Amino acid sequence: MTGLLRTGRVAEAAGVNIQTLRYYERRGLLAEPARSLGGHRMYPAEAVTTLRVIKAAQRLGFTLEEVADLLDAGRHRHGAAADSGLQSRARAKLEEIEARISDLNTIRTALHGALDAGCDDLVACAASSCCPLPFAELADPDGERR
């Protein structure tokens, strides 16, 4: 079993804790490792790279389910549909992130407006015709201010 690493060494090298490593294993993101005669998990060195890839993908906004799909698509490239790989999934994730950024910019603008208007009380502000926050539209089904 040369070239294999025990759990603690893999976790340390990948920058994750042991519980995370075992969780990813249970989720199927990481292949179940071989066991030593003493019952210790023994991972191939590639497990460190896989763990780093998982963490990097999460930082890019991919969920663990999406990461699992990406890893699975990479493992089964033979005969895979052209749109099942990283390119199409990265494109879709980018569109999702761009939409979230747009939403956050809208929220930022509304909050700047609330600060500029001096809003101190949400209820009083929402009842005012000069309130920059969208409370009235949300509460009034006709979208009209009172």
Side-chain angles (χ1 to χ4, degrees):
M1 291 197 140
T2 59
L4 297 177
L5 306 169
R6 288 178 59 169
T7 303
R9 181 69 186 113
V10 171
E12 180 183 343
V16 300
N17 64 48
I18 292 171
Q19 291 78 17
T20 299
L21 187 152
R22 290 190 177 147
Y23 177 70
Y24 291 168
E25 186 183 322
R26 284 193 306 274
R27 294 272 316 248
L29 296 166
L30 196 60
E32 188 174 331
R35 297 274 182 162
S36 69
L37 293 176
H40 297 284
R41 288 176 169 89
M42 302 299 293
Y43 295 88
E46 297 82 36
V48 173
T49 301
T50 301
L51 288 167
R52 289 178 179 163
V53 166
I54 292 167
K55 297 309 288 180
Q58 284 184 296
R59 285 191 299 276
L60 291 173
F62 289 97
T63 65
L64 282 180
E65 186 173 322
E66 291 168 331
V67 172
D69 288 343
L70 285 168
L71 291 172
D72 191 49
R75 290 181 192 120
H76 301 99
R77 276 188 222 153
H78 313 300
D83 65 346
S84 66
L86 179 59
Q87 287 292 311
S88 66
R89 292 169 193 221
R91 194 173 298 108
K93 182 56 67 177
L94 182 59
E95 289 172 9
E96 178 185 317
I97 297 298
E98 293 290 349
R100 286 178 24 202
I101 289 171
S102 176
D103 290 345
L104 288 171
N105 282 328
T106 300
I107 292 167
R108 179 179 58 200
T109 299
L111 290 173
H112 275 298
L115 289 171
D116 293 344
C119 298
D120 276 337
D121 181 316
L122 289 178
V123 175
C125 184
S128 169
S129 62
C130 65
C131 178
L133 299 176
F135 297 123
E137 289 94 1
L138 295 174
D140 187 355
D142 296 326
E144 296 176 10
R145 295 222 177 202
R146 298 178 193 159

